Amino acid sequence: MHEIEVLDFVYKQTLDDSFFSAPKPYHDLSTEKVLAMEYCEGVTLNQWIQTNPGVGSRRIVGVKLLDHFVREFLEWNVVQTDPNFGNFLVQEDPLKVILLDFGSTLRYSKEFIDEYKKTILVAQSGDVDKTFEQAVAFGLLDAREGQDVRQHFLLMMQLSIEPFVSMDQPFDFSSLDYERRSRAAVLNFTKSLKFSPPPRKIIFLHRKLGGLFNLMKRLDVQIDLRPYWQQIFSPDQKT
């Protein structure tokens, strides 16, 4: 998707949103190399955090950003996958977040989302072979990949699930062990591939999720993630 198209889409989607907004794009002033948009006041998330806002405000921002990720993926089917903190501006009185920089946005078809959710549920079972078979059917992996790829793929998927199904809630975003294991799992998986290109859409989706977790760590907030799992995998959820 071209960045100005995404900006225009997000701007229109957030017109009635009381918390999120995006700069208005100026199509007549934009070119293939220049994106003209409305100037918005605010400070970056890092700058805002450095002002030592209260835990209530930090938690609102954290919950809203997690809610927004679910909305991007399940409702919009358009996800800004760059986890850079500079992609968000914070305004106060009232507290709001401005969404910026859509150069790394990916569109996810409803078919992709359905298959991704199916893959997650199969991986949750811990069955290496069934998870691999689903990944092949999904078109993520080549059937010729060996046992090492199967194991690394299952571990990567299970680590993405872990925070949402753990009974130890609210999830400890400051866990250095979880961050280390997640990074290692993605690296080991991509390095082990012999016949398959890295599944870009899943890796970028997990990159966005990892960035959100890192943000929750910086915000120093505690959030129970189980309701997000229930929301995503509810039988009533339409994709």
Side-chain angles (χ1 to χ4, degrees):
M1 299 180 68
H2 195 283
E3 188 168 359
I4 194 168
E5 295 175 341
V6 182
L7 175 58
D8 190 55
F9 172 80
V10 177
Y11 170 73
K12 291 175 180 176
Q13 290 292 319
T14 56
L15 278 175
D16 297 324
D17 194 308
S18 62
F19 189 83
F20 289 106
S21 63
K24 180 180 180 179
Y26 295 114
H27 292 266
D28 55 337
L29 299 177
S30 298
T31 69
E32 285 295 319
K33 295 184 178 180
V34 177
L35 176 58
M37 69 184 82
E38 172 189 14
Y39 174 76
C40 295
E41 295 281 355
V43 297
T44 66
L45 267 173
N46 264 332
Q47 292 171 329
W48 182 71
I49 292 170
Q50 289 168 6
T51 67
N52 297 315
V55 65
S57 294
R58 298 198 313 273
R59 192 176 188 284
I60 288 172
V61 169
V63 169
K64 289 286 189 180
L65 285 171
L66 286 171
D67 290 345
H68 180 67
F69 171 72
V70 174
R71 179 170 60 168
E72 281 185 303
F73 189 49
L74 293 183
E75 296 181 22
W76 295 358
N77 310 143
V78 172
V79 181
Q80 198 279 68
T81 64
D82 183 357
N84 190 328
F85 292 179
N87 293 339
F88 307 97
L89 289 181
V90 180
Q91 297 179 343
E92 292 190 300
D93 300 323
L95 185 62
K96 292 186 62 175
V97 168
I98 312 298
L99 305 171
L100 302 173
D101 192 351
F102 302 96
S104 294
T105 298
L106 294 178
R107 182 182 292 279
Y108 291 87
S109 69
K110 296 185 183 299
E111 293 75 19
F112 180 97
I113 295 170
D114 287 341
E115 286 300 310
Y116 177 77
K117 289 164 66 174
K118 183 177 179 180
T119 304
I120 286 284
L121 292 176
V122 175
Q124 188 185 19
S125 73
D127 190 308
V128 174
D129 293 332
K130 286 184 179 179
T131 303
F132 180 69
E133 290 171 6
Q134 169 58 23
V136 171
F138 191 1
L140 300 177
L141 297 177
D142 190 296
R144 295 173 292 174
E145 297 288 4
Q147 192 65 26
D148 56 340
V149 171
R150 301 178 186 213
Q151 294 283 356
H152 288 314
F153 179 74
L154 175 64
L155 179 59
M156 181 182 73
M157 298 303 290
Q158 288 187 319
L159 279 169
S160 70
I161 297 169
E162 184 178 315
F164 297 93
V165 297
S166 171
M167 296 304 295
D168 187 15
Q169 298 286 346
F171 182 73
D172 182 9
F173 295 104
S174 65
S175 172
L176 294 177
D177 177 63
Y178 178 77
E179 182 179 359
R180 176 188 58 77
R181 288 187 293 126
S182 297
R183 289 179 182 271
V186 173
L187 180 61
N188 290 335
F189 167 67
T190 54
K191 287 174 63 176
S192 67
L193 293 170
K194 293 182 175 63
F195 303 101
S196 315
R200 178 172 176 265
K201 284 197 169 183
I202 281 187
I203 289 176
F204 273 60
L205 187 67
H206 289 185
R207 181 182 75 157
K208 171 64 175 281
L209 190 57
L212 282 175
F213 283 5
N214 191 30
L215 173 57
M216 300 304 134
K217 177 181 174 181
R218 287 280 288 114
L219 288 170
D220 190 22
V221 294
Q222 295 185 342
I223 300 172
D224 187 340
L225 296 178
R226 288 172 297 183
Y228 291 97
W229 178 270
Q230 295 164 4
Q231 180 182 354
I232 293 169
F233 292 99
S234 166
D236 298 327
Q237 175 63 50
K238 304 298 183 182
T239 57

